[in-house]
Amino acid sequence: QKEVEQNSGPLSVPEGAIASLNCTYSDRGSQSFFWYRQYSGKSPELIMFIYSNGDKEDGRFTAQLNKASQYVSLLIRDSQPSDSATYLCAGINSGYALNFGKGTSLLVTP
Amino acid sequence: GAVVSQHPSWVICKSGTSVKIECRSLDFQATTMFWYRQFPKQSLMLMATSNEGSKATYEQGVEKDKFLINHASLTLSTLTVTSAHPEDSSFYICSARGARGLYGYTFGSGTRLTVV
């Protein structure tokens, strides 16, 4: 089973700080990775995806991919209480389905 | 664009009955549909993958006779939980993918199933 690993947290950051979420993966053949945000009882919402080594920025979010280290991260700048949610990292498996990590719970405190 | 509608959003049923969940892609053709199950405080677990017009491929440990998946058209997939039991109570979420990965992976809003 190809694994996507995340620290379950909770990760607590003060409002306005940078939240750093990390993910490692075991399938060296994985090419694309996705970050989703999930509020309790709701379906996941796509934040961004990344498939090239390096950084990809979208507003307050920056995804980073390091294929040599098999590491993906998500930075959230100027964190807001509304960012409090579970963040899911996912890779694509051989059947083109998303293979999710267990998620990291983020709490942004006012 | 890329909207997936999932119904019902919640359902309560008696043990031993069957429940059907629908997943529709509203503005694109979903060549592949994925069905996930999520238990409280756990991540999404892939149950099965279905391609339009083909039989679904089930993940190891998922009973194909219990979780019937039909993907008869490019816009509709259904999951039927047959002879439901309390342990089937969960959050079921579908995801649709267009041809060649167009529109990425769009998720339905999920169905909360409670079996009593």
Side-chain angles (χ1 to χ4, degrees), chain B residues 29-77:
Chain B
Q29 293 183 329
T31 52
T32 308
M33 292 274 200
F34 307 96
W35 287 94
Y36 293 85
R37 178 169 53 181
Q38 186 176 35
F39 293 108
K41 299 194 182 300
Q42 296 188 23
S43 190
L44 281 74
M45 297 300 297
L46 180 67
M47 298 176 67
T49 300
S50 71
N51 293 296
E52 184 266 338
S54 302
K55 288 185 177 181
T57 301
Y58 290 82
E59 295 298 300
Q60 191 172 8
V62 177
E63 300 175 58
K64 61 180 66 177
D65 293 332
K66 181 171 188 60
F67 299 99
L68 301 179
I69 292 173
N70 185 286
H71 191 171
S73 78
L74 284 170
T75 59
L76 175 64
S77 179

Side-chain angles (χ1 to χ4, degrees), chain B:
Chain B
V3 176
V4 173
S5 174
Q6 184 174 344
H7 292 282
S9 56
W10 61 270
V11 58
I12 301 173
C13 71
K14 291 185 177 181
S15 186
T17 61
S18 296
V19 173
K20 179 183 283 188
I21 301 170
E22 288 192 352
C23 183
R24 293 181 183 272
S25 57
L26 299 184
D27 49 6
F28 70 103
Q29 293 183 329
T31 52
T32 308
M33 292 274 200
F34 307 96
W35 287 94
Y36 293 85
R37 178 169 53 181
Q38 186 176 35
F39 293 108
K41 299 194 182 300
Q42 296 188 23
S43 190
L44 281 74
M45 297 300 297
L46 180 67
M47 298 176 67
T49 300
S50 71
N51 293 296
E52 184 266 338
S54 302
K55 288 185 177 181
T57 301
Y58 290 82
E59 295 298 300
Q60 191 172 8
V62 177
E63 300 175 58
K64 61 180 66 177
D65 293 332
K66 181 171 188 60
F67 299 99
L68 301 179
I69 292 173
N70 185 286
H71 191 171
S73 78
L74 284 170
T75 59
L76 175 64
S77 179
T78 60
L79 167 67
T80 301
V81 183
T82 63
S83 187
H85 287 94
E87 57 266 30
D88 298 323
S89 299
S90 187
F91 191 47
Y92 293 87
I93 311 172
C94 67
S95 173
R97 180 176 183 266
R100 300 185 302 281
L102 288 176
Y103 310 109
Y105 294 82
T106 305
F107 282 83
S109 56
T111 298
R112 174 75 58 192
L113 170 63
T114 302
V115 184
V116 298

